[in-house]
Amino acid sequence: MNADAKLEIGHSACPHDCPSTCALDVELLGNRIGRVHGARDNSYTAGVVCAKVARYAERLHHPHRLLHPLRRKRSKGAGKGSGRFERISWEDALDITAEAMLAAERHHGPEAVWPYYYAGTMGLVMRDGINRLRHAKRYSGMHATICTTLAWTGFIAGTGRLAGADPREMAQSDLVVIWGTNPVNTQVNVMTHATRARKQRGARIVAVDVYRNGTMQQADLALCLRPGTDGALACAVMHVLFRDGYANWSYLDKYTDCPRELEAHLACRTPEWASAITGLSVDEIETFARMVGTTPRTYFRLGYGFARARNGAHNMHAALCIPAVTGAWLHEGGGGFHNNGAIYHWNRSLIEGLDVVDSGVRILDQSRIGPVLIGDPADIKDGPPVTALFIQNTNPVQVAPEQRKVKAGFAREDLFTCLHEQFMTATAEMADVVLPATMFLEHDDIYQGGGHQHILMGPKLVEPPGECRSNHEVICALANRVGADHRGFRMSAREIIDWTLRNSGWGTLPELEAAKWIDCQPDFAKAHYIDGFAYPDGRFRFKPDWDDVPAPRATSIRVKADMPALPDHWDVIENTDERHPFRLATSPSRDYLNSTFNETPSSQARQGTPRVKVHPEDLAALGLADGARVRMGNERGEIVLKAEAFDGVQRGVVIVESIAPNAHFEGGEGINTLTSAWQGAPYGGAAFHDNHVWIEGA
């Protein structure tokens, strides 16, 4: 009688916008959950999960979850953003939304309706099913540029394919280079495998980033450079590799396109040249180059930081060129990795309605939602205004760049907005209709690893509270009301998952449920490009054709720019000037994930009030002290927050971690008031870490 009761465990996958996509073991307490654990028997998750997800019960059972459909009150003083709503029935909410979409279509054509979404869930059905409605009705398309585009393009420019060395091989490496990512904050499993290599093999860890963060603190060599100067560092490293005889010429001649042209090009890209650009010392650059050159098993783990600068695609490619110069790809525990998207070969036609796509429909840039909604002719392609928005899985009033334009667009009284959401976010406050959404443990979905190699099943484990409905249910209900015809609208989520698995060569849903996940990792030769890279001639591209990189979404938007042909420092970043002497990066925090977890008390307590990290000498030069209220701004706007003296940045660089709620800033103007919606070359991408600013006492 004194024996502990056996805890029931459910198996799932983390749905959030993080490359780890952890396999989870969830404590089930009736229709509630307890602690969430990383699955020990998954070879990548390896029993580890971030603290945010471990405390997921705090979010799932939050007292402020949206539970019922709401409509904005239209009485005096109840304009958009007033936060005044009234409860309505689901039938009324869906009818109101459908009629607004039909009215937009009648007045301006179907392109006046814009289904808008992103990665609040990474489940394929619940995230991407909105595209089935888009395509069936020929609503405006969306070019997803807010996170991955620049980084993916830069990696594929070299390899020809979005896939690399098995990320579990970090544990077999002798040198792990973590560049452009802070996995201590954003993908903890990277550190699991990197530190295993340190403990078991004596491996060293190098971290390259723009400020001293948790990952940098654990590194054997931490290189803190100026934002947007990664290409200069990569060039100087390769200069040393060629200069000192570390280049693997047999590999270069067999596997790469123009190694001698690259060597000649880099002859003047010396450590001294790069030091002046990056702010690193010559000794730091030489040391890093020697470590790489003398360590055949060097693993380059390249992150999404590259996707946050105007020159990000070029910088990602430059960093990826280094293991091609040394031939590190030949070794287990060597080579490069960013994302494994190409290994899954999904048939997405049922999920997304790809069989009814009209290629003539305009495609709008997700990151430029502000300019789109205020009617910039270039952004709306000289077409009709967007007068109806249907949004799932994202919070653009908080997370999109050029926030003042975003807010102005949402404030239009001729714009109807329906948001399907879990909490009353900044975007929800601007909506006309708000629908309550399920969380990942309350519906069925399927997931793929970005930072690893597994397909994972996320089954429904608990019943949703109140009247919450899943994304798929809402999409199907709206489709019926607006006259969208596709067989996917008449199928359950489980039926779509089963069809997708079968038609993608991954078995069946019952088989996946029994196994929990599928390890899709290609063999060593495929993952390391031993039989050649993914271009027709089998050669890695030091000199890619930037107008024709075989990248996803490459046909959606083309950004004209004179990109350097070979790796270089491409100086198109938003540099400082007399009025804007500081460079701002908005780096991910440990306690928030974009705007997710903003609402949980434990994350709020750990994160505290918004603050900007400023070098102590810069603070002194401004006549400011640690903890002072400061005003920070540029041509896009200004915000007020606290200053934090922080010597883990170069002078002239400032860091604001996380996307804290707009309401946590004085005046309700959040950090993305200052970020730019500039379209990075060659195929778009927002430059969240590429901003110049001024700072003064408030």
Side-chain angles (χ1 to χ4, degrees), residues 102 132-139 475-476 478-487 489-490:
L102 290 168
R132 192 182 331 114
L133 179 64
R134 181 197 316 279
H135 296 145
K137 287 291 295 180
R138 292 165 176 76
Y139 294 148
I475 289 292
C476 293
L478 282 176
N480 182 57
R481 285 167 168 80
V482 299
D485 183 36
H486 192 279
R487 61 193 175 116
F489 298 131
R490 298 184 291 275

Side-chain angles (χ1 to χ4, degrees), residues 342-356:
I343 72 174
Y344 298 108
H345 50 77
W346 290 113
N347 181 337
R348 296 175 178 267
S349 59
L350 186 58
I351 291 175
E352 298 195 51
L354 299 181
D355 51 336
V356 293

Side-chain angles (χ1 to χ4, degrees), residues 389-583:
L389 271 176
F390 175 66
I391 304 174
Q392 291 183 319
N393 310 323
T394 188
N395 179 15
V397 175
Q398 185 173 325
V399 305
E402 298 189 8
Q403 189 176 106
R404 286 186 174 177
K405 291 182 180 179
V406 177
K407 288 179 175 179
F410 271 88
R412 286 169 38 206
E413 284 298 334
D414 67 327
L415 173 70
F416 175 87
T417 301
C418 175
L419 175 69
H420 190 200
E421 191 38 287
Q422 297 161 348
F423 292 93
M424 185 55 70
T425 62
T427 305
E429 291 175 351
M430 300 292 287
D432 296 280
V433 170
V434 180
L435 306 175
T438 52
M439 293 190 185
F440 76 106
L441 296 172
E442 299 162 354
H443 56 240
D444 295 299
D445 213 340
I446 189 173
Y447 303 85
Q448 70 177 48
H452 57 88
Q453 56 281 100
H454 293 92
I455 292 170
L456 306 99
M457 182 61 195
K460 180 179 179 180
L461 296 178
V462 295
E463 292 296 325
E467 298 180 80
C468 295
R469 294 188 186 181
S470 73
N471 290 3
H472 178 65
E473 291 175 291
V474 172
I475 289 292
C476 293
L478 282 176
N480 182 57
R481 285 167 168 80
V482 299
D485 183 36
H486 192 279
R487 61 193 175 116
F489 298 131
R490 298 184 291 275
M491 298 171 69
S492 69
R494 293 179 63 82
E495 289 171 330
I496 292 175
I497 292 169
D498 187 63
W499 186 96
T500 301
L501 287 167
R502 291 174 186 270
N503 287 274
S504 304
W506 295 118
T508 68
L509 174 56
E511 291 169 345
L512 177 58
E513 286 188 303
K516 297 188 290 188
W517 50 72
I518 304 168
D519 188 338
C520 307
Q521 179 62 41
D523 63 24
F524 178 86
K526 179 79 171 177
H528 286 253
Y529 300 101
I530 299 302
D531 299 322
F533 287 88
Y535 283 104
D537 61 1
R539 292 180 179 272
F540 181 93
R541 292 289 189 268
F542 290 131
K543 193 177 184 179
D545 180 353
W546 287 107
D547 290 328
D548 194 29
V549 176
R553 312 167 186 149
T555 59
S556 299
I557 289 179
R558 294 294 179 101
V559 178
K560 294 182 179 180
D562 187 18
M563 297 182 70
L566 289 163
D568 212 331
H569 172 56
W570 187 30
D571 192 11
V572 293
I573 57 179
E574 189 170 83
N575 283 303
T576 58
D577 56 32
E578 185 176 353
R579 173 59 178 145
H580 307 91
F582 297 97
R583 295 260 295 148

Side-chain angles (χ1 to χ4, degrees), residues 676-695:
S676 171
W678 178 280
Q679 292 177 306
Y683 308 129
F688 285 100
H689 296 180
D690 191 354
N691 314 283
H692 61 205
V693 294
W694 49 260
I695 298 174

Side-chain angles (χ1 to χ4, degrees), residues 169-245:
E169 286 184 29
M170 281 183 283
Q172 307 302 317
S173 180
D174 295 322
L175 177 63
V176 180
V177 179
I178 300 172
W179 194 336
T181 181
N182 177 14
V184 166
N185 282 11
T186 62
Q187 42 185 314
V188 65
N189 307 99
V190 168
M191 299 308 296
T192 299
H193 298 283
T195 55
R196 181 177 296 167
R198 172 186 276 165
K199 292 176 182 177
Q200 296 179 355
R201 301 176 57 83
R204 294 166 295 173
I205 297 173
V206 175
V208 184
D209 214 314
V210 298
Y211 75 117
R212 189 181 68 237
N213 51 43
T215 304
M216 298 273 272
Q217 291 170 9
Q218 294 191 30
D220 298 285
L221 176 64
L223 301 176
C224 184
L225 44 61
R226 295 175 183 140
T229 64
D230 309 74
L233 173 59
C235 287
V237 168
M238 290 187 285
H239 169 95
V240 174
L241 296 175
F242 282 115
R243 182 197 70 193
D244 293 353

Side-chain angles (χ1 to χ4, degrees), residues 295-306:
T295 313
R297 293 177 185 263
T298 297
Y299 191 105
F300 282 77
R301 183 60 174 88
L302 306 173
Y304 285 96
F306 290 99

